[in-house]
Amino acid sequence: MTHTEVIVYLMRLKPIWVMARNVLFEAGNQPYLGKQAVAAVVLNRVFNPKSFPNTVNEVILQPKQFSWANRGMLSPDRIRSPWNYDPLDWAKCKEVADMALSGNMVNPVNGCCFYFNPNLANPSWAKKMVRVLSIADHDFYWSHGDPKLIEWNL
């Protein structure tokens, strides 16, 4: 499958399946709160339509936003069957995705719409933003002064 074919495949999935993959591939090795934080960043972006797309799938699959979805990083087998790699991690990530999308999760990162692992990356955009908190291996950022809680109208 080409990169485009994989993106088309993912766009056709229900949001819970794309969110679960995002949580797994971005925070599968993080504690439960770290998984929730990654899901919260996606929802913060969905409900911030002036800056981001307004659907879960479009936010996650927007180019150059989440490393696992970047060109060259998408493994078709891994994308189609993520539960084959670590069934326990997959179950936790799916649970977090379900909680987030059903409105049964507290937003652990307030209004943060950005994060990265400072051990793996040093993005130029971080210098223009405010680091609000760290959870496990990820630092979470807000782009406009103090973060505000973004209402999730699910």
Side-chain angles (χ1 to χ4, degrees):
M1 291 177 90
T2 67
H3 178 81
T4 301
E5 290 170 331
V6 173
I7 294 295
V8 168
Y9 167 79
L10 289 166
M11 285 298 286
R12 291 181 177 156
L13 294 177
K14 291 182 178 179
I16 188 169
W17 297 111
V18 179
M19 176 73 91
R21 283 167 171 79
N22 194 59
V23 173
L24 178 67
F25 298 142
E26 292 286 312
N29 66 341
Q30 301 299 300
Y32 202 76
L33 184 62
K35 290 172 175 54
Q36 289 178 317
V38 166
V41 165
V42 171
L43 290 182
N44 287 343
R45 289 180 178 197
V46 168
F47 291 103
N48 188 355
K50 291 180 184 175
S51 302
F52 300 98
N54 63 358
T55 71
V56 168
N57 290 11
E58 289 174 321
V59 162
I60 292 171
L61 299 173
Q62 188 178 18
K64 298 182 180 178
Q65 297 301 305
F66 297 96
S67 59
W68 72 272
N70 289 336
R71 183 175 295 282
M73 299 295 288
L74 289 170
S75 160
D77 292 335
R78 185 177 186 205
I79 299 306
R80 278 194 224 120
S81 306
W83 46 87
N84 287 341
Y85 290 85
D86 188 331
L88 183 58
D89 272 347
W90 172 250
K92 289 177 186 174
C93 293
K94 185 172 177 306
E95 179 180 89
V96 166
D98 185 46
M99 287 173 57
L101 295 174
S102 64
N104 293 320
M105 186 181 87
V106 174
N107 187 338
V109 295
N110 296 320
C112 293
C113 291
F114 302 92
Y115 71 91
F116 71 95
N117 180 335
N119 297 316
L120 300 176
N122 186 17
S124 59
W125 55 256
K127 294 172 184 68
K128 301 172 194 160
M129 298 189 187
V130 177
R131 185 173 68 79
V132 178
L133 74 153
S134 297
I135 298 175
D137 292 337
H138 292 132
D139 290 346
F140 293 84
Y141 287 77
W142 177 248
S143 59
H144 309 293
D146 293 328
K148 63 178 188 283
L149 184 62
I150 294 175
E151 287 292 321
W152 298 339
N153 297 313
L154 302 171

